Amino acid sequence: MGIIEKIKEIEAEMARTQKNKATEYHLGQLKAKIAKLRTQLLEPPKGSSGAGEGFEVTKFGHGRVALIGFPSVGKSTLLTLLTGTHSEAASYEFTTLTCIPGIIHYNDTKIQLLDLPGIIEGASEGKGRGRQVIAVSKSSDIVLMVLDASKSEGHRQILTKELEAVGLRLNKRPPQIYFKKKKTGGISFNSTLPLTHVDEKLCYQILHEYKIHNAEVLFREDATVDDLIDVIEGNRKYMKCVYVYNKIDVIGIDDVDKLARQPNSVVISCNLKLNLDRLLARMWEEMGLVRVYTKPQGQQPDFTEPVVLSVDRGGCTVEDFCNHIHRSLVKDVKYVLVWGTSARHYPQHCGLGHVLQDEDVVQIVKKKEKEEGGRGRFKSHSNAPARISDREKKAPLKT
């Protein structure tokens, strides 16, 4: 029996099982089995080199955004409107068969936008090049899920389910669970608050399913069984997602208002070019890019090309800013002067741990090289000989 058949068999057993207090341990074990099988499904087959067929797209720019959605929802048209890159668009499905990159020039930054082929139900199992599409999505900073506003809400749920099946968690934060494997000592289970979804026995059963018999587990929040399995697996990626509802020109204004009020949602029309500016602003807001401008000593700030930082790509501290310019710069920094919203007064003397904000201006002051010797009475190096016998004797006085 293949892995996909095993997953379907376990899912059918979970659907048959009634959910109550008596069956929660059995359901927890089944969830752990499914998670293990799905991880095996994503691994390359044994005996292969590990390199599979995928989309070769080199990372470019200060951020990467992936367009995901069903076929014929307007992804290619949106790419053409935002970047100017031509992506073939037609009235039939699966027009785009490979990954087409484009560059958005926005707020002095370059953002790479990827038009991916449409994915269908069962993409996590490899249908319709689904695995390649999802692999590229994992390498992106945020995901734009393009949906047809005239279709049912079920499309959004199907796409979310397919992405979650391969370890992508949309608009969620990592669970506050501390987990560490040990060599000896058994399983240590603790929590800082009362738990309603998981108890010690259920935690033991899930860990035994993974053949883990020595570990330390600490719950810092009332997490679920799925959260515990995610922490044990350790290969989940938590990403921000913006739901983009296209084709709002074919539905009523009440439906548009209802969609626009949903969390993390933006309504647009590629046909009439409606609300594209709001989409770019929301994308910029979710990416959290920080532009930092440099100021040489005794000169005006350089506002032509900023240094772009982000929390997801390294961090936004002064040390990250220095490392972005050159790795060896941190050792020579004495202090920095900062102008902008992160400074309490202008200019503020800051250290390497100061967190920068968007459109700050930074001037780096380097350490001065030590001069040989000193000056005046504080001279540290004398030119006199070290020993008395080495002194030059004065010439005898003439009599």
Side-chain angles (χ1 to χ4, degrees):
M1 186 185 292
I3 296 175
I4 296 173
E5 287 77 14
K6 288 180 183 177
I7 291 173
K8 287 181 178 177
E9 188 178 324
I10 296 172
E11 284 177 343
E13 186 178 348
M14 289 176 67
R16 291 194 304 268
T17 307
Q18 292 184 351
K19 293 181 182 179
N20 52 46
K21 195 73 177 173
T23 59
E24 64 178 6
Y25 301 112
H26 180 58
L27 288 171
Q29 279 187 313
L30 292 178
K31 286 180 179 178
K33 285 180 180 178
I34 284 183
K36 282 177 63 181
L37 290 170
R38 281 181 175 154
T39 304
Q40 291 176 20
L41 196 63
L42 295 175
E43 291 173 354
K46 290 182 179 179
S48 68
S49 60
E53 185 187 356
F55 302 125
E56 295 180 3
V57 181
T58 307
K59 274 196 173 185
F60 180 82
H62 304 110
R64 189 182 234 195
V65 181
L67 294 173
I68 282 187
F70 277 94
S72 295
V73 292
K75 298 187 297 297
S76 300
T77 310
L78 182 61
L79 177 87
T80 305
L81 287 174
L82 293 180
T83 66
T85 304
H86 177 69
S87 179
E88 189 178 348
S91 57
Y92 53 87
E93 295 186 346
F94 296 106
T95 313
T96 305
L97 298 175
T98 184
C99 180
I100 299 173
I103 301 297
I104 303 173
H105 295 272
Y106 188 73
N107 284 349
D108 296 331
T109 61
K110 297 172 185 175
I111 300 170
Q112 187 180 41
L113 186 66
L114 302 179
D115 178 21
L116 297 168
I119 61 178
I120 56 175
E121 195 169 358
S124 58
E125 298 168 3
K127 292 182 181 176
R129 302 197 78 181
R131 283 191 202 167
Q132 291 97 313
V133 172
I134 292 167
V136 174
S137 306
K138 277 190 172 182
S139 68
S140 305
D141 296 314
I142 67 166
V143 169
L144 295 186
M145 188 183 288
V146 186
L147 301 161
D148 193 336
S150 61
K151 298 287 178 66
S152 64
E153 185 62 21
H155 282 192
R156 174 171 163 176
Q157 296 172 358
I158 292 169
L159 287 171
T160 305
K161 184 181 176 184
E162 292 295 329
L163 293 175
E164 286 196 345
V166 293
L168 268 176
R169 301 289 180 263
L170 303 179
N171 296 327
K172 291 181 181 177
R173 58 176 180 80
Q176 299 295 308
I177 301 173
Y178 172 77
F179 172 75
K180 184 181 180 182
K181 290 183 183 179
K182 298 189 297 185
K183 293 183 179 179
T184 58
I187 295 173
S188 170
F189 179 87
N190 288 298
S191 65
T192 59
L193 73 171
L195 301 177
T196 58
H197 305 289
V198 182
D199 58 8
E200 194 168 353
K201 181 182 175 184
L202 180 56
C203 179
Y204 282 16
Q205 286 187 344
I206 291 171
L207 288 172
H208 287 168
E209 186 66 39
Y210 281 93
K211 296 182 174 58
I212 298 172
H213 305 291
N214 301 290
E216 191 177 342
V217 183
L218 173 62
F219 280 77
R220 294 193 178 98
E221 67 176 7
D222 189 14
T224 61
V225 179
D226 297 319
D227 293 333
L228 177 60
I229 292 170
D230 287 350
V231 172
I232 295 170
E233 286 280 347
N235 58 357
R236 308 300 191 228
K237 183 161 186 188
Y238 298 84
M239 296 186 67
K240 293 178 181 176
C241 177
V242 178
Y243 303 103
V244 183
Y245 288 92
N246 189 21
K247 305 181 184 179
I248 59 170
D249 50 321
V250 298
I251 60 174
I253 191 66
D254 294 335
D255 296 328
V256 173
D257 183 63
K258 184 180 176 183
L259 292 173
R261 291 182 186 278
Q262 292 184 4
N264 305 309
S265 299
V266 177
V267 292
I268 64 165
S269 172
C270 292
N271 187 25
L272 301 179
K273 300 180 183 178
L274 295 175
N275 213 26
L276 296 178
D277 293 338
R278 173 62 189 147
L279 173 61
L280 287 172
R282 184 58 187 270
M283 190 173 68
W284 173 266
E285 182 185 326
E286 293 293 336
M287 292 185 76
L289 296 179
V290 174
R291 293 165 292 169
V292 182
Y293 298 96
T294 56
K295 180 186 179 301
Q297 286 185 336
Q299 300 179 29
Q300 292 294 323
D302 180 16
F303 291 112
T304 54
E305 193 169 345
V307 175
V308 182
L309 308 171
S310 75
V311 177
D312 298 329
R313 290 192 177 192
C316 298
T317 62
V318 171
E319 185 176 359
D320 301 321
F321 168 76
C322 295
N323 287 331
H324 197 90
I325 296 172
H326 200 278
R327 287 286 177 187
S328 64
L329 185 60
V330 177
K331 296 182 288 185
D332 301 329
V333 173
K334 185 178 182 182
Y335 61 88
V336 295
L337 298 174
V338 178
W339 293 261
T341 52
S342 69
R344 296 179 182 176
H345 48 81
Y346 301 147
Q348 181 178 345
H349 286 238
C350 301
L352 295 175
H354 179 76
V355 179
L356 299 169
Q357 295 182 11
D358 194 27
E359 295 188 313
D360 278 359
V361 177
V362 173
Q363 175 183 318
I364 297 174
V365 180
K366 289 186 175 183
K367 298 173 185 173
K368 290 184 179 178
E369 295 181 4
K370 291 182 180 178
E371 296 177 359
E372 283 296 325
R375 285 194 304 180
R377 55 190 286 217
F378 300 106
K379 196 170 182 179
S380 58
H381 297 287
S382 174
N383 297 326
R387 295 180 300 175
I388 295 175
S389 58
D390 294 336
R391 289 182 180 175
E392 291 181 12
K393 293 180 179 179
K394 293 181 180 178
L397 295 172
K398 292 180 181 180
T399 55

